[in-house]
Amino acid sequence: MSNRITLRATSAQQKKNYSKRSRKEAEHTIQIPNELPVIPLHSTVIFPHMIIPLRIGRPVSLHAVEEALSSGRPVLLLAEEGGGGRTEVRPEDLYRAGTVAHITQSLRLPEGDLQVLVQGQMRAQVIEFTQTDPVLRARIELVEPTVKKTVEIEALMRSVQSQFDNYVELNREMPEEAATAVRAIEDPGTVADAAALAPDITHEQRQKVLETFDPAERLRLISVLLSRQIEVLQVKNKIQSEVQKGVDKMQRDYYLREQLRAIQRELGEESPEAVASSELQRKIEAAGMPEEVKEKALREVERLGQMPSASPETAVIRTYLEWLVSLPWSVQTQDNLDLSEAARILDQDHYGLRRVKERILEYLAVRKLSKTMRSPLLCFVGPPGVGKTSLGKSIARAMGRKFVRMSLGGVRDEAEIRGHRRTYVGALPGRIIQGIRTAGSRNPVFMLDEVDKIGVDFRGDPSAALLEVLDPEQNFSFSDHYLEAPFDLSQVIFVMTANRLDTVPPALRDRMEIIEIPGYTEEEKLQIAERYLVPKQIEAHGITSDQVKFTHNALRSIIREYTKEAGVRNLEREIASVIRKIARRIAEGKQKPVVVRQSDLHQYLGPTRYLFGSAQETDEVGVATGVAWTPVGGDTIFVEVNAMEGRPELILTGQLGEVMQESAKAALSYARSRAKELGIDPKVFENHAVHIHVPAGAIPKDGPSAGITMATALISAFTGRPVSKDVAMTGEITLRGRVLPIGGVKEKMLAAHAAGIRTFILPEKNSKDLEEVPKTVTKNMNVILVKDMDEVLNVALLRDVNPREKAA
């Protein structure tokens, strides 16, 4: 059914006659029966005196229309609750108040439906439904109360008419004739009914108006509804007005800009946007970009010129173009290929580090002979404080290249390497491209620090993104997500640092040239302190070398008694601590030039923190000295063994890992299998428990190099022969007593030397590693190469048996 509503204003005479008619006169004239067929209305409420076209399609409605046409009687129009739309209509689905209407015209449509024109006559209230099939019939009571026109009623009616005028004025969809028609009505109830046809009044609200039979109450109700709709329309129009003002201003600004451009073109002048575009084109031509990148950049400039300056995308394109033109596509520094000068610079910056310096000089030599050689991919591996990062600066200085540093520690997002795509807000290139731009050269020395601390999470794998950066077969066309253009990284020398190799991804490790820097000897630390650390800290604290001097013995004592590390970081801190105290006194005017002697260290640094000399004070039974590798350098460890009467068992403590636990079991099996040759009663293993302990139990320990140390301590405990305090050892043991090679020889020997060890037992197959050990260490230490445990025991165990242990 159609919900179109037509409002017709009656003539003045008709209105006058209607207002004078009483209810009885109306009933007599119209002669409405008290039982009528019902037409359910879908989403429509019809008031008296309204003429409305309806489309009838449901069977119940069609039967009602046919009966009304055949009998010439009116019908009852009832609205459905909830808007309707049901195929089968029940009495409980309909409101109880409706309108009696007369069908004035009907037309059969091709689809079988009827188009009828109905005219509302008066309100009616359903008393009961008397029939539901095939026609819905209801017994009704007509409701059309008369009202005397009082001053209050007149005021209410004029108020509603004024409100309706205001409503029509605010609602652009309403024709002005609607307000004129409502103003012409003189009946109070009809005024309220006509105003209820406002399009913003809902179906339920119109039904409420229809059900309000008292004309005065109806006027009050419609007044409230119109007041609410007027407020909504006022706010709506205010918002639309503000939006329109903004749109008009944008259009006006655009129009003025276009006029300005036209005027500037006529005068031969260029706009600021055109000047900026011309400047970008000039920079693109001068940047030396590859041809494909240049074409891409010029296309972006052309797009920029066609966009309004107020468009947000102009800032994105302009930033992108500025990145493109600021990159050193064709700018590179000239390498310093003077080998003697490079060697002098390396020696000036760093003491020792022979292998690193040789590798750099070899690269320069080959570079001097061949211009097409690819840049090396060096990775310095060693404990903290050995100068890995500063080596990168020295390489750049020796070669005359720019230096850039990037820390990979904690990097988890792949976009840190490859950059973000330009579709993201705040997108930028990756840190590789940012570093190249900072360097201002396409061939800098690029330091990638802490490569062993790269993280992986849901944002991607940065180590996988680094493969394209570091692989010489790929990095000549490195693609950053932001640039979307290849950049040649093949001329860059990448230098990486790591504290350990086992956490470096294998794919990265395969592309690196590993150079290990295990640590410094005491003599090297002394030279570094005198040549670099002391002058650096004196300058940093604002004093001169004439005001502070350190003696050799003072520096040696700081190295031995106040630091215990592979590098020199803590050594520099202790030197700085001494200089700070002297600087304070100089600033207060209380201190004259001073020479720091060994005897003064207690005053500046407090009591000594470490004991230099033998790892142990005495030769002991069941205690052997071993050495271990750690990420921060080598260290000495002690293996203690106690044999106790009781149920035979092996007790392992000290947070030993699986490998060390297996070494302990292998050592015990070896001792039991060789009991007679070693002078041990085999029955002692049947009534003794063996407890092996490695002190510093809070620190987890693992590795394959403590086998012979555990075997020596075990055999010492069962034979009662003390282990020499001056002997340290490393090596793995087999069940048959063979000594297997291990790793980290240089770090371990440096740790033993720092502990004052004089004799060092090393597997024979590790003899090749002695070439990496500084001569100052091997000269001051007796290195004994062994193949089996017999040789180890001959060196480590003393001949004298401790009487107390033997008695036990």
Side-chain angles (χ1 to χ4, degrees):
M1 288 182 290
S2 173
N3 59 358
R4 291 180 298 159
I5 297 174
T6 304
L7 174 62
R8 290 189 179 180
T10 59
S11 66
Q13 185 62 37
Q14 285 176 325
K15 296 173 206 159
K16 184 175 180 182
N17 293 336
Y18 176 80
S19 62
K20 293 180 179 179
R21 267 188 282 172
S22 66
R23 179 181 174 186
K24 290 182 179 180
E25 289 173 339
E27 290 179 359
H28 178 74
T29 304
I30 303 174
Q31 296 181 349
I32 297 174
N34 61 355
E35 186 174 327
L36 294 175
V38 177
I39 297 179
L41 299 180
H42 163 49
S43 300
T44 303
V45 176
I46 297 176
F47 294 95
H49 314 296
M50 308 302 164
I51 299 175
I52 299 101
L54 298 176
R55 180 165 179 164
I56 308 298
R58 288 185 289 193
V60 65
S61 300
L62 288 171
H63 286 304
V65 171
E66 289 170 357
E67 180 179 327
L69 291 175
S70 63
S71 64
R73 294 183 177 183
V75 294
L76 178 64
L77 305 177
L78 292 179
E80 297 180 44
E81 292 186 6
R86 304 171 183 86
T87 304
E88 298 293 335
V89 182
R90 298 171 300 175
E92 54 265 29
D93 297 330
L94 302 175
Y95 289 105
R96 291 299 185 268
T99 303
V100 175
H102 180 69
I103 300 175
T104 60
Q105 294 179 10
S106 67
L107 175 66
R108 178 72 64 177
L109 300 176
E111 297 87 353
D113 295 350
L114 282 175
Q115 183 79 27
V116 298
L117 188 68
V118 298
Q119 181 177 8
Q121 294 178 338
M122 62 181 60
R123 282 173 169 79
Q125 188 171 8
V126 175
I127 298 175
E128 64 175 342
F129 289 95
T130 60
Q131 181 180 337
T132 58
D133 190 37
V135 179
L136 185 61
R137 300 177 65 83
R139 188 156 57 86
I140 65 170
E141 179 184 3
L142 296 176
V143 182
E144 194 67 29
T146 59
V147 61
K148 186 178 180 181
K149 266 194 176 183
T150 63
V151 175
E152 182 183 1
I153 296 296
E154 185 73 23
L156 277 172
M157 188 173 69
R158 292 184 181 181
S159 175
V160 170
Q161 289 172 332
S162 176
Q163 285 179 308
F164 194 78
D165 286 345
N166 194 7
Y167 173 81
V168 171
E169 183 180 351
L170 291 172
N171 193 337
R172 297 181 178 88
E173 298 177 1
M174 290 286 292
E176 294 182 2
E177 291 79 5
T180 304
V182 172
R183 281 197 304 270
I185 300 173
E186 296 181 0
D187 180 63
T190 307
V191 169
D193 292 343
L197 297 176
D200 290 321
I201 294 180
T202 64
H203 173 76
E204 289 77 11
Q205 290 171 341
R206 287 176 183 163
Q207 180 64 31
K208 184 68 175 176
V209 172
L210 183 66
E211 293 174 353
T212 306
F213 301 132
D214 182 26
E217 291 298 323
R218 201 184 310 160
L219 284 170
R220 291 187 182 94
L221 174 60
I222 198 64
S223 178
V224 172
L225 295 177
L226 286 175
S227 177
R228 174 63 178 167
Q229 294 305 322
I230 288 170
E231 289 181 7
V232 172
L233 287 172
Q234 286 175 340
V235 174
K236 177 183 175 183
N237 290 342
K238 180 182 178 183
I239 294 172
Q240 289 180 342
S241 176
E242 291 175 353
V243 172
Q244 188 61 39
K245 285 180 182 178
V247 173
D248 291 344
K249 183 178 184 304
M250 290 178 60
Q251 292 176 342
R252 177 175 174 274
D253 291 348
Y254 176 77
Y255 177 70
L256 290 175
R257 286 194 194 95
E258 291 299 320
Q259 282 187 324
L260 181 61
R261 289 195 182 105
I263 293 170
Q264 288 172 338
R265 282 195 296 269
E266 290 295 327
L267 295 175
E269 299 176 355
E270 291 187 350
S271 65
E273 291 82 3
V275 172
S277 297
S278 301
E279 181 66 16
L280 282 173
Q281 286 182 343
R282 185 190 63 78
K283 290 181 178 179
I284 290 170
E285 295 291 344
M289 301 177 183
E291 196 61 34
E292 56 183 298
V293 182
K294 180 179 176 181
E295 291 177 2
K296 181 181 180 68
L298 291 175
R299 284 197 302 270
E300 292 295 325
V301 172
E302 185 177 351
R303 281 186 60 207
L304 184 64
Q306 295 173 354
M307 286 184 179
S309 59
S311 173
E313 195 175 354
T314 57
V316 176
I317 297 176
R318 192 178 302 279
T319 303
Y320 172 69
L321 291 172
E322 287 174 355
W323 268 101
L324 283 181
V325 299
S326 64
L327 290 176
W329 297 94
S330 58
V331 179
Q332 66 181 45
T333 56
Q334 190 69 28
D335 285 343
N336 175 24
L337 301 179
D338 187 342
L339 300 184
S340 58
E341 177 63 16
R344 185 191 67 79
I345 292 173
L346 291 173
D347 289 336
Q348 182 181 359
D349 290 350
H350 288 272
Y351 181 82
L353 304 178
R354 177 179 55 83
R355 281 188 61 195
V356 181
K357 294 176 181 177
E358 287 181 357
R359 179 64 186 89
I360 296 168
L361 294 175
E362 288 168 1
Y363 169 75
L364 291 177
V366 176
R367 186 79 177 181
K368 189 173 183 178
L369 300 175
S370 173
K371 303 297 183 183
T372 59
M373 181 193 176
R374 291 173 178 169
S375 300
L377 186 58
L378 306 177
C379 181
F380 301 141
V381 181
V386 296
K388 302 186 295 296
T389 303
S390 59
L391 264 173
K393 296 180 182 178
S394 298
I395 294 173
R397 182 165 170 253
M399 298 183 66
R401 293 195 179 194
K402 303 286 187 179
F403 176 76
V404 184
R405 176 185 171 275
M406 170 186 172
S407 177
L408 295 174
V411 172
R412 297 177 179 272
D413 191 351
E414 180 187 348
E416 292 279 341
I417 308 299
R418 290 188 180 275
H420 298 83
R421 299 194 183 277
R422 280 188 288 159
T423 52
Y424 292 100
V425 176
L428 282 174
R431 292 173 64 185
I432 299 296
I433 293 297
Q434 291 183 37
I436 296 294
R437 180 192 186 186
T438 302
S441 166
R442 63 192 291 259
N443 65 335
V445 174
F446 207 121
M447 170 71 75
L448 299 175
D449 253 340
E450 313 293 350
V451 71
D452 57 329
K453 298 177 179 63
I454 297 178
V456 178
D457 66 5
F458 65 94
R459 289 167 290 187
D461 184 0
S463 63
L466 276 175
L467 294 178
E468 185 182 1
V469 176
L470 302 177
D471 193 340
E473 300 295 333
Q474 304 179 50
N475 64 8
F476 63 88
S477 60
F478 171 68
S479 177
D480 186 274
H481 286 160
Y482 181 82
L483 296 184
E484 296 179 345
F487 191 90
D488 186 5
L489 297 177
S490 61
Q491 301 300 315
V492 180
I493 294 182
F494 287 101
V495 180
M496 285 161 288
T497 68
N499 294 130
R500 52 196 304 173
L501 274 176
D502 55 335
T503 57
V504 177
L508 272 182
R509 192 164 59 240
D510 179 62
R511 288 162 171 78
M512 300 174 184
E513 181 179 342
I514 308 298
I515 298 179
E516 295 186 359
I517 308 175
Y520 297 110
T521 64
E522 179 182 305
E523 290 301 321
E524 289 175 333
K525 289 181 181 179
L526 183 62
Q527 293 294 329
I528 292 171
E530 288 182 340
R531 297 186 184 188
Y532 306 103
L533 303 183
V534 172
K536 175 183 175 183
Q537 291 302 321
I538 287 176
E539 181 181 358
H541 287 79
I543 55 181
T544 64
S545 57
D546 296 332
Q547 293 173 301
V548 180
K549 294 185 182 298
F550 284 79
T551 65
H552 288 285
N553 290 337
L555 292 174
R556 194 181 297 275
S557 181
I558 294 175
I559 294 168
R560 290 179 173 180
E561 299 172 353
Y562 290 91
T563 62
K564 188 181 181 182
E565 57 173 344
V568 292
R569 193 166 290 163
N570 284 330
L571 175 59
E572 185 174 8
R573 292 193 187 102
E574 298 300 331
I575 292 173
S577 180
V578 174
I579 295 176
R580 275 199 308 273
K581 291 177 173 58
I582 297 173
R584 176 184 173 183
R585 295 180 181 178
I586 293 175
E588 293 174 348
K590 301 177 182 179
Q591 182 73 47
K592 297 180 181 180
V594 63
V595 176
V596 180
R597 305 183 187 278
Q598 184 177 2
S599 58
D600 301 328
L601 293 180
H602 187 277
Q603 173 188 354
Y604 294 117
L605 301 177
T608 59
R609 301 186 183 94
Y610 305 100
L611 294 176
F612 179 79
S614 297
Q616 296 189 121
E617 297 180 358
T618 60
D619 303 327
E620 293 189 42
V621 174
V623 180
T625 304
V627 285
W629 178 92
T630 70
V632 295
D635 198 2
T636 56
I637 61 172
F638 303 102
V639 177
E640 300 178 350
V641 177
N642 270 347
M644 304 162 289
E645 291 186 3
R647 182 171 59 88
E649 61 176 329
L650 178 61
I651 304 171
L652 302 174
T653 57
Q655 284 212 56
L656 306 184
E658 292 183 4
V659 177
M660 290 189 74
Q661 292 181 26
E662 292 177 359
S663 296
K665 295 173 184 177
L668 180 59
S669 297
Y670 169 76
R672 295 186 66 177
S673 66
R674 297 288 307 278
K676 291 184 179 180
E677 291 86 344
L678 296 173
I680 305 172
D681 184 0
K683 295 182 180 180
V684 76
F685 295 104
E686 299 175 3
N687 53 17
H688 279 74
V690 178
H691 186 171
I692 300 179
H693 176 67
V694 181
I699 303 173
K701 311 170 190 71
D702 202 7
S705 60
I708 65 172
T709 312
M710 290 181 171
T712 303
L714 267 170
I715 295 170
S716 170
F718 280 107
T719 60
R721 294 171 61 184
V723 181
S724 174
K725 65 179 181 181
D726 294 328
V727 175
M729 61 195 75
T730 182
E732 183 60 293
I733 186 176
T734 67
L735 292 176
R736 291 173 175 76
R738 298 295 301 273
V739 179
L740 301 180
I742 43 78
V745 172
K746 182 176 180 182
E747 292 89 341
K748 294 174 179 178
M749 291 191 69
L750 288 174
H753 180 262
I757 297 295
R758 297 180 181 178
T759 302
F760 191 84
I761 298 176
L762 186 69
E764 186 180 49
K765 292 184 179 180
N766 283 115
S767 59
K768 62 184 183 303
D769 299 314
L770 291 175
E771 296 181 6
E772 303 296 328
V773 182
K775 300 299 180 183
T776 54
V777 174
T778 54
K779 285 182 180 179
N780 297 326
M781 189 182 295
N782 181 21
V783 181
I784 298 178
L785 303 175
V786 296
K787 293 184 294 184
D788 54 46
M789 274 303 300
D790 290 338
E791 298 178 21
V792 175
L793 297 176
N794 288 337
V795 176
L797 296 183
L798 301 178
R799 297 298 176 184
D800 296 332
V801 178
N802 188 314
R804 181 175 60 84
E805 295 291 341
K806 187 175 183 180

